[in-house]
Amino acid sequence: MAADIEHVVGQLRRVGLRPSDRQWETIREAGIAAVEPVLALALDVDALGEAEPASLGPVHALRLLAELPPPHVEEIARLLRATPPDEYRLAQGAYIWWQELPQIVARLGRPGYEAARQVLSDENAGRDARAVAVESLSFAAELAADRRQEVIALLRERLASETDPYVMAHVVEALANLGTAAAYGEIMDAYKRGAVDKETISAADARQHLLNPKARSALACVYHPLAERYEKHGPYTEVQRRAMAEAYRSAG
């Protein structure tokens, strides 16, 4: 059985834009037996720099991880620390993997929350990993209403203790997306003392999101089930990408 699952997971490196429904179901049905090989592929960030379809394998695995029993906290923390190298971060596979990571961590429930909290608190973790941990916490607060106040309290604590302006900007953005108007004064104070990277989020943008009751829509993607992720977030064919780029240029 284990060998069969490893074979199916290995196929994810070759399936291209989307696994088949049968591949999805085989991995889902394997349950806990599929967690280790799926996690290993999701962690293969070096593959994100390869040519397609190999570069899409970690994306498929990352998404499927949310369909399985959650890995241990330490293993989820490895995901948060596994940042794709800068030189190919804008390639389709790496871009999607990076965008989806905090949502998938949030969908892993309490273990995902604990992993994000641990990485955020680890001053030795890279700034990218800690920033993604903050994003994961905001998605966790959106997905689990009973965790919302716990997350907000943790993020407000970071407003007073965070020393990295880039991570602080993500803390501000998370609180803003959660519509935490009660933190308005603390956040504006952080801008005044120069503690926030304004290139990541300006004070004006933070103010608008904090006071806008529709701000939480920025977190709505966390609810997307597996099939909808492929429909709304790609990956896309080269023809689709060219068409999207042309539409973007025309709109500009």
Side-chain angles (χ1 to χ4, degrees):
M1 179 65 175
D4 291 341
I5 289 303
E6 289 181 4
H7 174 71
V8 174
V9 173
Q11 291 176 340
L12 299 179
R13 296 182 184 272
R14 304 185 294 277
V15 296
L17 298 179
R18 178 171 173 158
S20 69
D21 290 349
R22 181 57 189 154
Q23 287 167 322
W24 281 354
E25 291 310 314
T26 299
I27 292 172
R28 280 187 179 124
E29 290 169 4
I32 193 68
V35 172
E36 184 176 346
V38 170
L39 177 64
L41 178 53
L43 282 165
D44 188 4
V45 293
D46 288 334
L48 294 168
E50 298 178 13
E52 295 182 10
S55 62
L56 301 178
V59 173
H60 303 318
L62 182 66
R63 287 173 169 173
L64 279 161
L65 200 61
E67 307 294 308
L68 298 170
H72 295 302
V73 171
E74 295 76 14
E75 293 171 326
I76 302 172
R78 286 177 60 205
L79 266 176
L80 289 166
R81 292 185 169 94
T83 55
D86 289 338
E87 61 265 29
Y88 50 75
R89 196 171 288 185
L90 293 181
Q92 178 171 221
Y95 180 82
I96 296 174
W97 188 96
W98 193 243
Q99 294 297 310
E100 298 259 312
L101 177 59
Q103 298 178 43
I104 298 303
V105 169
R107 289 178 67 88
L108 294 175
R110 191 73 189 185
Y113 165 79
E114 291 295 341
R117 185 181 61 80
Q118 287 183 17
V119 172
L120 174 59
S121 301
D122 182 2
E123 299 294 339
N124 294 318
R127 66 191 314 214
D128 283 338
R130 297 179 64 233
V132 174
V134 172
E135 291 184 55
S136 301
L137 290 167
S138 65
F139 283 115
E142 172 67 19
L143 193 62
D146 60 343
R147 200 165 296 140
R148 178 179 168 83
Q149 292 308 316
E150 187 176 358
V151 169
I152 288 174
L154 174 60
L155 294 176
R156 291 181 74 173
E157 288 175 10
R158 297 308 305 184
L159 283 175
S161 60
E162 183 55 55
T163 58
D164 187 309
Y166 180 73
V167 178
M168 178 70 98
H170 283 79
V171 171
V172 168
E173 187 171 42
L175 287 168
N177 285 336
L178 288 166
T180 317
Y184 179 85
E186 301 158 58
I187 289 173
M188 292 302 115
D189 285 345
Y191 277 101
K192 289 176 184 176
R193 66 177 188 269
V196 185
D197 176 12
K198 296 178 183 177
E199 294 296 320
T200 301
I201 183 169
S202 68
D205 285 344
R207 185 181 297 111
Q208 181 179 3
H209 282 79
L210 277 168
L211 304 179
N212 180 1
K214 296 182 180 180
R216 293 177 68 189
S217 63
L219 303 174
C221 289
V222 74
Y223 295 109
H224 292 164
L226 184 60
E228 195 170 347
R229 289 189 174 276
Y230 283 90
E231 293 163 7
K232 293 184 178 295
H233 300 290
Y236 302 104
T237 66
E238 183 63 31
V239 171
Q240 288 174 311
R241 280 180 271 173
R242 285 200 298 268
M244 291 164 67
E246 182 59 34
Y248 179 80
R249 283 194 295 269
S250 299

